[in-house]
Amino acid sequence: MPFPTALPALSDNYIWTLAEAGADAIIVDPGEAEPVLAAMRQGLRPRAILVTHHHHDHTDAVATLAERCGATVYAPDDARIAGEFVPVREGDRIEMAGLDLRVMEVPGHTRSHVAYIGEGLAFTGDTLFSLGCGRLFEGTPAQMFDSLERLAALPPETRVCCAHEYTLANASFALTVEPGNPALAERAAQARAARAAGLPTLPISMDSERKTNPFLRCREPRLAARVAEYAGCDPADAVAVFTALRRWKDGFAG
Ligand SMILES: [Zn+2]
């Protein structure tokens, strides 16, 4: 099973690289060229560049790197993504460098956001973060809730590769929402130890996320009750819980 590597980029982005055999690799969301160029000097050979969404911190280095290493670029069909690329849609397969990934459309953070799933991994971009989820810049809460539910339905052993290191900040909000969740306390401690050692908190299993990420737990009665108490209303369903939870996080100062 190929193991993904997170290249830290910009202030808190990760550019994921994944190689099956030798150095032929895919890279995901290169918002900055230098971390990838440094890995290339160590022998990495990007054959494909996968883009999850159009935001500049995920795309700024795509054209430079595609030209430098001759990689094929795959991205959602969105005019805001510059340069040449193969447009991808729900269910498309990408077989490259001995790897096999498929595309899942996960709108919410942006309207054309996709995730790449395969090899026991999920590259979730800015849709699913460990212990959190992306802001709703373009989609509706119902769209984002549906996208997160589809990701959460992946096999529990799936390792989630998010595009940002937000775990500790997310943990502080998650612990406010679910102070009595022992799995969350354990995950927060593990993430603090990883960051103290200068290591990424990712990837993390989907099983862990389902037990700890409040945005994947909107059907939990205790969490729903806590959100209702905060919002001063009685959410009618899980989407309404998600909506109120996302709003709570947007105004959360830590
Ligand atoms: Zn984004």
Side-chain angles (χ1 to χ4, degrees):
M1 194 72 94
F3 197 82
T5 301
L7 304 178
L10 302 170
S11 56
D12 50 30
N13 283 70
Y14 286 133
I15 301 167
W16 288 96
T17 76
L18 184 66
E20 168 61 279
D24 281 358
I26 61 152
I27 61 175
V28 185
D29 283 355
E32 188 184 17
E34 183 47 38
V36 178
L37 294 173
M40 287 167 66
R41 289 194 286 274
Q42 304 294 317
L44 187 83
R45 289 195 302 267
R47 293 292 182 240
I49 298 173
L50 311 186
V51 174
T52 62
H53 67 296
H54 74 280
H55 285 158
H56 72 92
D57 58 318
H58 300 252
T59 55
D60 271 359
V62 169
T64 305
L65 291 171
E67 191 179 307
R68 184 72 73 93
C69 53
T72 308
V73 180
Y74 298 87
D77 194 1
D78 189 314
R80 297 171 294 183
I81 298 171
E84 266 187 42
F85 61 87
V86 179
V88 296
R89 306 196 53 154
E90 176 73 30
D92 283 355
R93 296 271 293 273
I94 296 168
E95 292 172 79
M96 186 64 86
L99 303 166
D100 187 1
L101 300 170
R102 72 186 159 83
V103 176
M104 184 190 285
E105 292 178 357
V106 286
H109 176 66
T110 68
R111 62 176 177 265
S112 62
H113 197 303
V114 300
Y116 297 92
I117 316 291
E119 308 292 342
L121 304 167
F123 297 99
T124 59
D126 287 0
T127 298
L128 175 63
F129 296 124
S130 182
L131 306 182
C133 73
R135 282 178 186 270
L136 298 174
F137 286 123
E138 298 175 6
T140 65
Q143 275 180 323
M144 186 60 144
F145 181 75
D146 182 58
S147 295
L148 292 172
E149 289 238 300
R150 295 182 66 213
L151 288 168
L154 291 168
E157 64 277 12
T158 304
R159 287 171 297 162
V160 182
C161 302
C162 322
H164 287 273
E165 180 59 75
Y166 286 162
T167 310
L168 288 190
N170 286 342
S172 129
F173 176 70
L175 285 163
T176 302
V177 178
E178 284 198 291
N181 178 340
L184 172 58
E186 194 179 318
R187 167 64 172 147
Q190 180 264 338
R192 275 193 290 271
R195 294 313 288 153
L199 298 170
T201 62
L202 305 164
I204 184 71
S205 74
M206 193 63 83
D207 183 52
S208 171
E209 284 302 299
R210 285 207 284 252
K211 290 172 177 156
T212 58
N213 187 330
F215 294 96
L216 303 185
R217 297 169 57 73
C218 294
R219 296 183 193 282
E220 294 286 325
R222 208 177 291 176
L223 184 146
R226 180 92 168 102
V227 172
E229 183 193 352
Y230 169 81
C233 65
D234 192 8
D237 56 18
V239 175
V241 173
F242 174 79
T243 307
L245 184 63
R246 184 60 258 184
R247 199 172 298 140
W248 184 358
K249 174 74 159 57
D250 288 342
F252 184 72

